[in-house]
Amino acid sequence: KILPDTKPLAFILYADKAKLLSFGRVKGYPVVARCANLPIVVQNGEGLGGGCVVGWLPIVKEDKKPSGKPAFVNFKNAVWHALFLKILACLAPLLKLGSAIKCWDDVIRVFYSIVLILSADYEEQAVMALIRGLMGKFPCPICLVPHDELSN
């Protein structure tokens, strides 16, 4: 519950694997934040209203030997979740304490940040929700039958 006279500052986070970049021998893709409080025409624009890269998620290089093995699949998921938690940890103080911001009308307002939408392509969503892979509790995204009951 937020205090009276405070406002939510909602963010849309998008992990965009389609915008893969290389840094020498390392590959990664950006996590982009957009302010959900702004009109959609501003959010989708360029410049101040557009998205801002707030972090990078690595592509874990796969060797043929460990690729597809349970330990390696779990390792890739653990890397993704650990790094995404680091990105979210930057927002944690703003979630608890709020942030006083001087607005365009020279009025200081207190905003509490929230992640309203976590958006990604299917592959990233499957990793986020653990619906695919060895640790997936509901491997089928359509029928949502629990893993233990798939043979029934």
Side-chain angles (χ1 to χ4, degrees):
K1 184 176 178 181
I2 62 174
L3 300 172
D5 299 326
T6 61
K7 307 288 181 203
L9 182 58
F11 289 100
I12 299 169
L13 293 181
Y14 179 65
D16 193 356
K17 200 170 187 177
K19 305 234 184 283
L20 182 66
L21 294 174
S22 295
F23 306 97
R25 298 182 312 172
V26 179
K27 293 182 179 178
Y29 56 98
V31 176
V32 177
R34 295 184 187 275
C35 180
N37 297 59
L38 297 174
I40 196 74
V41 80
V42 176
Q43 286 181 38
N44 290 337
E46 295 181 13
L48 295 177
C52 178
V53 175
V54 294
W56 293 91
L57 295 172
I59 303 292
V60 179
K61 185 177 179 185
E62 293 191 36
D63 293 329
K64 289 182 181 179
K65 188 175 180 181
S67 182
K69 300 261 182 346
F72 190 69
V73 172
N74 290 339
F75 170 72
K76 285 188 351 180
N77 283 344
V79 166
W80 192 97
H81 282 271
L83 292 172
F84 202 81
L85 282 175
K86 286 189 179 279
I87 293 170
L88 293 178
C90 296
L91 284 176
L94 300 174
L95 297 171
K96 293 177 185 173
L97 305 173
S99 180
I101 299 173
K102 186 175 184 179
C103 296
W104 65 273
D105 56 359
D106 287 333
V107 174
I108 295 176
R109 293 182 176 89
V110 177
F111 290 92
Y112 284 87
S113 300
I114 59 168
V115 177
L116 183 65
I117 298 172
L118 181 56
S119 179
D121 295 334
Y122 176 75
E123 185 177 346
E124 290 85 29
Q125 286 286 350
V127 170
M128 289 178 213
L130 290 175
I131 59 171
R132 257 186 32 199
L134 299 169
M135 298 300 292
K137 296 186 187 301
F138 299 91
C140 178
I142 296 169
C143 65
L144 297 177
V145 173
H147 185 270
D148 298 341
E149 297 178 23
L150 284 174
S151 61
N152 292 336

